[in-house]
Amino acid sequence: MSVSDLDPVPAVALLARPGAARERLREALAHADVQIVLEDDPITLEAQALHDARPQFVVIALEAAIEDALERLEPALSAPGLTLVFDEAELAARRDGWEAQRWGRHLAAKLHGHQQVLPPGAEDEPALQLEPGRPSTPPVPKEAALQPHLEQARSWADDVPADGLYSPPAHLHEPIALEQALAALQPVLPETAAPVEATLEPPPVPAAAPSVFTDHTAWSLVDEASDAPADPRAAAMVAAPEPAFDTEHLSLVDLDAAAPAGSRAGALLVLAGIGGPDALRRLLAALPSGLAVPVLVHMRLDGGRYGNLVKQMARVSPLPVQLAEAGQRATAGEVHVLADDIGVHAAADGLYFQTEAQGISIDALSAEHSALVLLSGADLAHVGPALDLAAAGAWVAGQVGEGCYDPAAATAVVAAGMAAGEPQELAQVIAARWGLDDDGDAA
């Protein structure tokens, strides 16, 4: 069996309109050591031709002009075992230098199914692997090697100076037992007369006062029919009537009205960036058809083509997908794509979208009822607010796996102890916590 049989070269189809974006993607695929089985314009490509090429991966340069073509090619693109890799055409056309090389390494890692995205020469050193078992015992020195040292010490023993401050008497010998040593240290006392035994009488014990508890001879049974006068306070307590419970003025408390503003302002916020369209597509496709919270998606796109992102995600998401507008209320069970200048504010009845120059603010979410997912390409500036939200009670998770092209932010939250997984795995956790059953009740 050859090496090529063990590690086959991936078959890739490149769908992009002629231009700079297509050239950049072709260069990235050429350095990724793959086989380009098809390169064509999706507008003129037929679905049968794409099916006959039998690619394993399809790299698509997204732009507004090919939206209708992608809908026409949907049967071929939905074939089992086919992986789609999306890239913004405008972003791919401008990508150059270090950024192009970095994106190419991430693309190669996804196509070959490994995690090596570092440049040549910067590979991680293999970690030391510990093995079970007892450590080997150190070698025991041989007696023959110690013998010269012992003889030399014996020859020098007579020359070692002795302690001249104390010389034991000649008639004393070293005691053999501890009792002998203690007896040798005791001074010798002269013989004296036998001691006179003194008689000590114990002091008289005072007579204790008689106790009614110890003198059981005086016990007697209580006569229940005794004519002794009862305590007037106890009689008053028995005679006093118990207060009646007034049930005529009961009313139900409006829990929604009593809840503080923002308590129902929970949401699932998804943050993404480079490589985010593919990760977001897998996340939304695995969500159930009903959620108890709205889904907010913030993925920074060059050129602001958020309308195209809405159309692409609406094809795979079981939840309705729409573009968020200022003044609109976030609806539970719907996906709202946020532009760069759209934020949220909490009200008594939920979240409302508003125009904000800095975009979405994580602090505006209710921590107790919200979740936050950082996918590939999420901004590192969101890590701190995300961990603060988690400390307040929110569920925060980060994407891991081969499809995470830019894992900096996601890895940071995972390293802090947050949940981790592939987009499909995170969607299963979300469905278990915020999904709705057939009756519309929370799971």
Side-chain angles (χ1 to χ4, degrees), residues 341-368:
D341 58 347
I342 294 295
V344 295
H345 73 277
D349 56 344
L351 286 175
Y352 283 84
F353 302 112
Q354 64 182 7
T355 302
E356 292 186 7
Q358 69 274 15
I360 182 65
S361 177
I362 298 178
D363 300 338
L365 300 178
S366 172
E368 184 180 358

Side-chain angles (χ1 to χ4, degrees), residues 21-381:
R22 185 167 170 177
E23 298 293 333
R24 295 288 187 275
L25 293 176
R26 185 189 306 114
E27 294 175 2
L29 292 175
H31 290 88
D33 191 19
V34 299
Q35 179 184 3
I36 302 178
V37 297
L38 178 65
E39 179 181 345
D40 205 342
D41 186 349
I43 298 179
T44 59
L45 178 65
E46 296 295 334
Q48 186 62 35
L50 177 60
H51 180 269
D52 295 341
R54 299 186 180 280
Q56 298 171 279
F57 299 87
V58 178
V59 180
I60 304 174
L62 288 176
E63 54 183 320
I66 67 171
E67 291 183 3
D68 297 336
L70 293 180
E71 293 182 0
R72 180 173 50 83
L73 297 174
E74 181 68 22
L77 295 176
S78 302
L82 186 62
T83 303
L84 305 181
V85 180
F86 296 95
D87 190 18
E88 287 288 332
E90 184 178 356
L91 180 61
R94 295 201 310 265
R95 193 181 293 124
D96 196 6
W98 177 87
E99 185 180 1
Q101 297 176 5
R102 177 176 175 272
W103 189 89
R105 291 194 299 270
H106 283 276
L107 178 62
K110 180 176 183 59
L111 298 179
H112 287 277
H114 59 74
Q115 300 291 332
Q116 181 57 41
V117 296
L118 297 177
E123 293 83 0
D124 294 334
E125 296 183 358
L128 180 62
Q129 298 293 333
L130 300 180
E131 296 182 358
R134 295 183 59 186
S136 58
T137 57
V140 180
K142 297 181 179 179
E143 185 177 356
L146 296 178
Q147 191 63 30
H149 302 283
L150 296 176
E151 294 177 356
Q152 185 181 24
R154 189 179 300 107
S155 63
W156 288 353
D158 297 335
D159 298 335
V160 176
D163 187 1
L165 298 180
Y166 171 76
S167 297
H171 65 280
L172 294 181
H173 301 280
E174 182 179 359
I176 300 176
L178 178 62
E179 291 78 4
Q180 297 178 358
L182 295 177
L185 297 177
Q186 297 295 328
V188 179
L189 299 177
E191 295 184 359
T192 58
V196 178
E197 295 183 0
T199 304
L200 299 179
E201 296 181 0
V205 180
S211 175
V212 296
F213 297 102
T214 58
D215 187 10
H216 59 274
T217 59
W219 290 1
S220 63
L221 297 177
V222 177
D223 188 4
E224 296 182 356
S226 176
D227 297 334
D231 189 355
R233 291 177 297 177
M237 295 177 60
V238 175
E242 296 184 358
F245 187 74
D246 187 6
T247 59
E248 297 180 357
H249 297 84
L250 294 179
S251 62
L252 296 178
V253 177
D254 189 358
L255 297 179
D256 292 338
S263 62
R264 292 179 300 279
L268 167 62
L269 177 59
V270 182
L271 303 175
I274 298 177
D278 180 57
L280 180 61
R281 171 178 169 271
R282 290 189 286 160
L283 176 70
L284 295 182
L287 289 179
S289 57
L291 283 181
V293 293
V295 181
L296 312 182
V297 175
H298 176 66
M299 184 171 63
R300 194 174 298 276
L301 297 177
D302 293 339
R305 300 180 180 274
Y306 293 99
N308 298 340
L309 181 63
V310 170
K311 295 180 181 179
Q312 294 295 329
M313 298 305 151
R315 296 191 181 99
V316 298
S317 173
L319 301 175
V321 183
Q322 57 180 316
L323 188 63
E325 298 180 359
Q328 178 187 6
R329 180 176 180 270
T331 305
E334 295 186 3
V335 180
H336 303 272
V337 177
L338 308 181
D340 294 339
D341 58 347
I342 294 295
V344 295
H345 73 277
D349 56 344
L351 286 175
Y352 283 84
F353 302 112
Q354 64 182 7
T355 302
E356 292 186 7
Q358 69 274 15
I360 182 65
S361 177
I362 298 178
D363 300 338
L365 300 178
S366 172
E368 184 180 358
H369 305 85
S370 296
L372 181 60
V373 177
L374 283 78
L375 298 179
S376 173
D379 194 349
L380 276 173

Side-chain angles (χ1 to χ4, degrees), residues 286-287 423-433:
L287 289 179
Q424 300 93 324
E425 298 172 348
L426 299 180
Q428 294 176 1
V429 179
I430 294 169
R433 298 187 59 168

